Amino acid sequence: MSQYKMWIGGNWVDAESGKTYPVFNPATEAEIAQVPLGGLAEVDKAVAAARKAYPVWSKKSQVERSQIVLKLAALMRADAKEVGRIDTLEHGTPAGLAGMIAGDLPEWLEWNAYNARALMGNTIPQCPNELIYLQREPVGVVALITPWNLPLLMIVEKLAPALSVGNTIIIKPASINSLTALKLAELADKAGFPSGTVNVITGPGGIIGEALATHPGVDMVAFTGSSETGKRIMALASQTVKRLQLELGGKNPVIVLGDADIDAAVGAMLGKQMFNCGQICAAPGRFYIHEKVYDEFLQKFTAGMKKVVVGDPNDTKTQMGPLVSADHRNRVEGYIKSAIDDGAKVILGGKRPTAPPLDKGYYFMPAIITGVTQKMKVAREEIFGPVAVFMEPFNSDDKVIELANDNIYGLAAYVWTQDKARGMRFANEIQAGTVQIGSTPARDQDVPWGGYKQSGIGKEHSMYGLYEYTNLKRIQVDLTANR
Ligand code: NAD
């Protein structure tokens, strides 16, 4: 079992309290590491280090800064196998998928490093003898508070733009799986960032996250996690009016119209539901299927789900590993129980496997719930697990748009129809940051991602994502002599 340290101000350190806490392998329930239990003393040290590093890092030329970010990308690429191995170990990500994620992330760093170099100012023609121009500047010290569901990816998508444009950062990874964040700190050290530019504090969100959101030395909080925590951070950050970028929960409607290509819709939506055990914000949250194709869709979806291979994440045949923790499995099981209590039907799965070797580890058989109505808890709240929620069949476009919008979240929506004009009406009327008509996989860094309503504030990826980490300054110069 390994003993880890935190990365603060260019040094590997223990918690001042000397305390540590365990990290478990979700596939075996075995303790795999001890990490420092950071607290308020570490927040103060990390903020001081990041503030000290800020003038050094932000005043480097953009070329030099981008080159260091590119070096980090190269180091991550060279170490992708090890990064993927840690992801499988601490999160239960199937090895193939973990390797793919670790292999993709360097490109995210590269995208931001190159595009930061193209982050232009503007000059604005106005009065004669007056010069007005706009300049982009880094925000300052940014706290990155991230969730457990894709532990490294969630950090890199914030770190890449934040560092590329000149901010210094303090990463507060999810407490239950912070080992990939510590691996990233090791690579950042080798890449040559000035001491204090990148800091990692491990420990509980309720203490470290809250202290970062409150600290007067932190200029911005970039947060991904639940809407509840996002609201708490927003309240705390309001005391010092910090910049916020919030990526929160989702309860994403899937709408399958009567003219849809059912096989294509089933294949794509099944993949999205099962990806990372359903532990993603973009997972389908509610299936609204037109009555004409309801039986066919449900029968094909059920047949597909039965074939999903649940097992050891190190086995190459595995498509779905364990859920992340005992607590999270209990939470998902709570939703299954609430659906039954509310009168819905669990027609597949929804239980722990009992036969060895899957009786050990936080495994859970993917589930389908039918007969769900709009007011039930499973129709309103994010389950964050491999549970497909089938609403009662619909027969009117107007009505299904109303039902899809009847939720506090507005992250993504998936619409299936072969009539693109009909699909465009859904694209325009659904309140969500992303509406996907049919299956169009997008190049992640090129297009923005972010929620409407209680799914968040601001965007990640693309130039819009880069802008989040900058302040826009207007500089106005009177060119008239002697005034
Ligand atoms: P969470 O809100 O419980 O925790 C997220 C992070 O916040 C962790 O690092 C945690 O330690 C910290 N935290 C906890 N309490 C805090 C507090 N009071 N103050 C400050 N920080 C605190 O979320 P989670 O369970 O780790 O992640 C799952 C959630 O993340 C889901 O709701 C999911 O939809 C959301 N998510 C959203 C996106 C998106 O792009 N919109 C992407 C991934 C995950």
Side-chain angles (χ1 to χ4, degrees), residues 11-207:
N11 295 302
W12 292 105
V13 296
D14 293 317
E16 210 173 274
S17 65
K19 290 185 184 155
T20 61
Y21 68 95
V23 179
F24 297 97
N25 178 343
T28 61
E29 302 181 28
E31 186 178 321
I32 49 172
Q34 284 280 332
V35 294
L37 186 72
L40 300 183
E42 284 69 39
V43 170
D44 282 340
K45 282 182 195 160
V47 173
R51 289 228 78 84
K52 193 165 162 216
Y54 179 65
V56 181
W57 181 240
S58 61
K59 286 197 169 53
K60 280 193 186 299
S61 73
Q62 185 59 54
V63 178
E64 193 183 346
R65 213 163 39 222
S66 288
Q67 276 166 352
I68 295 175
V69 176
L70 290 173
K71 179 90 191 292
L72 175 61
L75 288 164
M76 266 185 80
R77 187 166 283 123
D79 234 345
K81 227 174 158 174
E82 173 62 3
V83 171
R85 185 193 69 79
I86 301 172
D87 187 14
T88 299
L89 187 70
E90 70 168 346
H91 182 64
T93 311
L97 174 63
M100 205 173 79
I101 294 170
D104 278 353
L105 292 182
E107 203 254 342
W108 292 24
L109 289 157
E110 288 159 356
W111 191 97
N112 284 280
Y114 287 125
N115 281 294
R117 291 181 65 178
L119 200 68
M120 304 290 196
N122 291 313
T123 54
I124 299 177
Q126 225 178 9
C127 311
N129 292 322
E130 192 171 46
L131 172 67
I132 300 181
Y133 65 96
L134 304 181
Q135 175 169 298
R136 293 226 166 243
E137 297 177 352
V139 179
V141 172
V142 185
L144 315 185
I145 305 180
T146 55
W148 50 258
N149 68 317
L150 287 161
L152 184 63
L153 183 150
M154 291 291 148
I155 294 171
V156 171
E157 70 182 355
K158 297 182 189 306
L159 168 146
L163 287 178
S164 295
V165 297
N167 300 284
T168 55
I169 63 171
I170 301 164
I171 303 168
K172 207 311 268 171
S175 43
I176 58 171
N177 50 17
S178 37
L179 302 186
T180 47
L182 294 169
K183 176 71 189 172
L184 182 65
E186 183 191 314
L187 299 178
D189 181 28
K190 284 193 197 147
F193 291 95
S195 292
T197 303
V198 177
N199 305 275
V200 181
I201 310 179
T202 52
I207 294 172

Side-chain angles (χ1 to χ4, degrees), residues 291-349:
E291 61 183 17
K292 228 170 84 183
V293 290
Y294 182 89
D295 289 343
E296 182 190 354
F297 187 95
L298 181 60
Q299 181 262 319
K300 289 182 171 169
F301 193 90
T302 309
M305 203 181 242
K306 278 185 183 160
K307 289 194 198 131
V308 172
V309 182
V310 179
D312 176 354
N314 287 303
D315 185 333
T316 51
K317 289 192 288 302
T318 293
Q319 292 168 307
M320 218 181 87
L323 289 172
V324 74
S325 66
D327 279 356
H328 189 57
R329 184 170 61 178
N330 290 339
R331 187 167 175 268
V332 174
E333 285 172 340
Y335 279 110
I336 298 283
K337 180 171 181 313
S338 97
I340 296 168
D341 292 349
D342 285 345
K345 268 183 149 165
V346 180
I347 64 160
L348 184 76

Side-chain angles (χ1 to χ4, degrees), residues 107-108 111 115 157 247 433-434 436 440-450 459-466:
E107 203 254 342
W108 292 24
W111 191 97
N115 281 294
E157 70 182 355
E247 296 292 336
T434 297
Q436 205 167 309
T440 51
R443 296 265 301 150
D444 249 357
Q445 282 303 303
D446 300 330
V447 288
W449 173 258
K459 298 289 176 196
E460 294 204 290
H461 308 179
S462 81
M463 292 309 280
Y464 296 98
L466 265 179

Side-chain angles (χ1 to χ4, degrees), residues 146-148 172 205 210 223-226 229 248-249 281 382 384 449:
T146 55
W148 50 258
K172 207 311 268 171
E210 295 216 357
F223 170 77
T224 300
S226 65
T229 310
L248 310 177
C281 54
E382 186 182 41
F384 223 56
W449 173 258

